[in-house]
C-alpha cells in the first residue's frame, strides 16, 4: 500500500508529524487530484511540514495549514530535510 522510497525521496504520506520535505514531483493519473494540487498551490520546490497524520492529514505549505486526504498525500513526492 505504501509508496516505496526512491532516490528522489518518498511519498508525503510516509512522513511523520513534524517532518519537513521539499516537493520534488507531484504525480497522479487522476485529473481531479492534479487540479486539487494546483488549486492548493502545491508545486515543485515548495516546503511542506506535516503537522498531523491521524485522524486527518494536516500539512503546512506557504504559511497555510491544509487538510488533505491520503490520495493527495500519496501523489506528492518530497525530499526530506532536517531543520
Amino acid at each position: 500500500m505504501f509508496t516505496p522510497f526512491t532516490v528522489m525521496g518518498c511519498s508525503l504520506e510516509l512522513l511523520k508529524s513534524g517532518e519537513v520535505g521539499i516537493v520534488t514531483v507531484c504525480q497522479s493519473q487522476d485529473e481531479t487530484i492534479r487540479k486539487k494540487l494546483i488549486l492548493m498551490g502545491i508545486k515543485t520546490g515548495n516546503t511542506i511540514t506535516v503537522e498531523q497524520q491521524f485522524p486527518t492529514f494536516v500539512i503546512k505549505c506557504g504559511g497555510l495549514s491544509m487538510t488533505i486526504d491520503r490520495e493527495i498525500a500519496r501523489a506528492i513526492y518530497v525530499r526530506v530535510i532536517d531543520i
Side-chain angles (χ1 to χ4, degrees), residues 15-62:
L15 269 63
K16 297 180 177 115
S17 295
E19 289 188 309
V20 180
I22 296 174
V23 178
T24 56
V25 69
C26 296
Q27 38 182 175
S28 176
Q29 299 299 323
D30 187 346
E31 186 66 29
T32 306
I33 290 175
R34 282 191 272 175
K35 285 181 181 178
K36 284 182 183 179
L37 290 169
I38 291 168
L39 289 172
M40 288 187 287
I42 297 174
K43 58 186 176 193
T44 303
N46 284 17
T47 301
I48 295 180
T49 304
V50 176
E51 295 184 328
Q52 175 182 309
Q53 275 193 313
F54 185 81
T56 58
F57 211 94
V58 180
I59 62 169
K60 188 171 191 172
C61 181

Side-chain angles (χ1 to χ4, degrees), residues 55-71:
T56 58
F57 211 94
V58 180
I59 62 169
K60 188 171 191 172
C61 181
L64 298 173
S65 290
M66 301 177 238
T67 301
I68 60 173
D69 59 28
R70 297 246 176 238
E71 290 289 321

